[in-house]
Amino acid sequence: RYPTPQELRNMIYSGLAGGVKGIITYDFSFDLVNNQVSLWNEFKRLRTDVATLENVFLDGKLSRVFTGDQELVVSYWEYNNEYYVVVVNTSYTVTKGVSITLLFPNEESATALFSRMPNTLSFSKGTFSGNIAAREVEVYKISQNPNAVESNYGNESLIKVYPNPTYGPLFFTDPEN
């Protein structure tokens, strides 16, 4: 049988989250265009998704997240000082609870990248949490806090400066440097 559009999206994003650098599909174009319109339309949308994130997938630094659940796939890419997160529930029947902490420097918010996909997860203080339905895919972009500035002064520790209009700037040193 043909996959459903949701299954196709799940398979493509699972592969991307696993680190594939290319996708080859045999799409039975004539049959899809004429008889499987929703699947053909999903092929076209996925092509746009991949083109939108092409540089991220090819040139970004991929990190896979251990979730403790083989049906819950989470990966993120760092690219041009931004982060892109993909969460995939490969289960056919079970909604999965998500609570995953990803420590990004100066993170502010997560924005769902594609409006046709659900965005049920919330992002706060570096943690994605919520529920993702069976066979769903969610894709987010993490925005940097535009008020945080990183500076390295010679051999001193990395210092992060956060403007504070009431009391002046706040300075925090990175304890790991």
Side-chain angles (χ1 to χ4, degrees):
R1 73 172 175 83
Y2 287 110
T4 67
Q6 187 180 41
E7 289 169 332
L8 176 65
R9 181 172 50 249
N10 195 291
M11 288 186 288
I12 296 293
Y13 274 101
S14 291
L16 292 167
V20 300
K21 295 291 186 179
I23 300 168
I24 299 172
T25 61
Y26 186 73
D27 59 19
F28 305 95
S29 297
F30 180 78
D31 194 33
L32 286 177
V33 170
N34 294 309
N35 300 317
Q36 301 290 326
V37 175
S38 62
L39 187 57
W40 179 246
N41 288 335
E42 186 62 22
F43 264 111
K44 292 189 292 186
R45 286 189 287 266
L46 286 166
R47 179 176 174 240
T48 301
D49 291 1
V50 172
T52 300
L53 295 169
E54 178 180 5
N55 291 334
V56 173
F57 295 141
L58 293 176
D59 300 325
K61 179 184 174 198
L62 171 63
S63 296
R64 296 180 199 135
V65 179
F66 177 73
T67 65
D69 182 341
Q70 69 184 46
E71 293 180 323
L72 185 62
V73 178
V74 178
S75 291
Y76 66 90
W77 292 259
E78 180 181 356
Y79 180 73
N80 284 345
N81 296 317
E82 297 186 305
Y83 297 90
Y84 299 83
V85 180
V86 171
V87 182
V88 182
N89 181 355
T90 64
S91 172
Y92 270 76
T93 57
V94 179
T95 295
K96 299 287 182 173
V98 176
S99 181
I100 297 178
T101 300
L102 306 170
L103 300 176
F104 302 122
N106 306 327
E107 78 272 353
E108 184 176 300
S109 63
T111 305
L113 282 182
F114 304 110
S115 61
R116 76 178 191 291
M117 294 182 201
N119 59 349
T120 62
L121 303 178
S122 62
F123 182 71
S124 178
K125 297 181 182 172
T127 299
F128 276 98
S129 59
N131 294 313
I132 183 169
R135 295 182 289 168
E136 284 298 348
V137 174
E138 300 193 21
V139 181
Y140 296 90
K141 178 180 177 182
I142 306 297
S143 299
Q144 299 285 316
N145 180 342
N147 295 323
V149 178
E150 292 186 1
S151 301
N152 191 339
Y153 299 100
N155 293 328
E156 296 177 19
S157 295
L158 183 66
I159 298 173
K160 296 178 182 176
V161 181
Y162 295 86
N164 183 338
T166 306
Y167 299 104
L170 300 174
F171 297 90
F172 296 95
T173 59
D174 185 342
E176 294 181 9
N177 284 334

